[in-house]
């Protein structure tokens, strides 16, 4: 939430390229840092409009994002392909299809930082491996963060931060602080 500037830090400071996040415009942050949550918002609109969501993109760019998210074949098998109408909340899609539409939406924007918050949890293991492999290959020069409990994904990344250990260390440090009045 702090990285996306939904909140500013209450203590300390978050720097991006040595600039305080408080000095960076919200729009600039949200253009360069994209969060893909577990539950992708799907609107009562066409597939292509659900993926583009207000940005201009060529058909080839949309299809490439969908191929990376392993959802292009699903879309190509729909009666109207990219012009097929999706129902509100993706009621005519499976959970894994909704997640892959959300992933394609993020990849199309080509941000500097991608945050995937359990956004592959509904995918079968084979598809999940392929999606993660595609993302890590195509965005190797970017920052990619997976928030996950999945050991398979954790084994694919360069750094793993165990938040439980961080929280325990923080609690331990706070217990050792002396309170003065």
């Amino acid at each position: 939430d702090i990285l996306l500037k939904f909140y500013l830090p209450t203590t300390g400071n978050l720097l991006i390229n040595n600039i305080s996040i408080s000095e960076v415009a919200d729009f600039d942050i949200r253009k360069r840092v994209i969060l893909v949550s577990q539950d992708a918002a799907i609107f009562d609109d066409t597939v292509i409009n659900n993926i583009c969501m207000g940005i201009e993109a060529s058909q080839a760019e949309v299809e490439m994002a969908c191929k990376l998210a392993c959802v292009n074949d699903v879309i190509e098998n729909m009666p109207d392909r990219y012009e097929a109408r999706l129902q509100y909340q993706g009621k005519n899609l499976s959970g894994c299809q909704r997640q892959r539409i959300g992933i394609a939406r993020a990849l199309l924007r080509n941000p500097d930082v991608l945050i995937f918050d359990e956004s592959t949890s509904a995918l079968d293991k084979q598809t999940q491996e392929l999606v993660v492999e595609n993302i890590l290959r195509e965005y190797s020069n970017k920052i990619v963060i997976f928030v996950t409990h999945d050991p398979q994904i954790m084994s694919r990344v360069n750094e793993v931060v165990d938040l439980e250990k961080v929280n325990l260390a923080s609690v331990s440090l706070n217990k050792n602080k002396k309170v003065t009045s």
Side-chain angles (χ1 to χ4, degrees):
D1 288 347
I2 291 173
L3 184 58
L4 291 166
K5 205 174 173 187
F6 294 142
Y7 303 101
L8 290 175
T10 54
T11 61
N13 200 0
L14 176 61
L15 302 177
I16 300 174
N17 294 332
N18 292 321
I19 299 170
S20 172
I21 195 167
S22 62
E23 297 176 31
V24 180
D26 295 3
F27 174 80
D28 291 333
I29 292 287
R30 295 188 189 126
K31 183 178 172 187
R32 302 181 99 183
V33 178
I34 300 287
L35 170 68
V36 184
S37 67
Q38 186 171 0
D39 299 313
I42 304 292
F43 302 97
D44 183 11
D45 205 341
T46 63
V47 171
I48 196 161
N49 287 342
N50 266 281
I51 294 169
C52 291
M53 267 185 56
I55 68 166
E56 294 292 323
S58 69
Q59 184 73 27
E61 291 170 321
V62 172
E63 288 178 15
M64 178 53 73
C66 290
K67 286 176 184 173
L68 293 172
C70 298
V71 73
N72 187 62
D73 290 346
V74 171
I75 296 166
E76 290 293 333
N77 286 320
M78 291 179 175
D80 294 319
R81 297 185 179 117
Y82 282 87
E83 294 302 321
R85 189 141 200 109
L86 300 181
Q87 295 174 4
Y88 177 69
Q89 297 298 354
K91 290 180 183 173
N92 57 337
L93 298 172
S94 68
C96 69
Q97 291 168 341
R98 286 191 301 270
Q99 284 188 336
R100 290 183 282 166
I101 293 279
I103 292 168
R105 181 185 295 153
L107 298 178
L108 181 63
R109 284 155 175 73
N110 195 25
D112 296 324
V113 180
L114 284 158
I115 304 171
F116 296 96
D117 188 359
E118 296 289 359
S119 56
T120 62
S121 61
L123 278 60
D124 64 83
K125 288 299 174 191
Q126 183 179 3
T127 304
Q128 182 188 64
E129 283 180 38
L130 189 53
V131 169
V132 169
E133 180 181 317
N134 290 345
I135 291 167
L136 292 175
R137 182 185 64 249
E138 291 297 317
Y139 294 85
S140 62
N141 62 339
K142 310 261 182 161
I143 297 170
V144 179
I145 299 169
F146 291 97
V147 179
T148 184
H149 296 96
D150 190 316
Q152 198 167 7
I153 293 175
M154 287 186 256
S155 72
R156 301 290 313 272
V157 299
N158 297 331
E159 297 287 332
V160 175
V161 176
D162 186 335
L163 293 180
E164 185 176 359
K165 290 179 183 176
V166 170
N167 288 335
L168 288 174
S170 176
V171 168
S172 177
L173 283 174
N174 287 331
K175 283 183 182 178
N176 293 331
K177 286 183 179 179
K178 292 183 181 180
V179 178
T180 58
S181 50

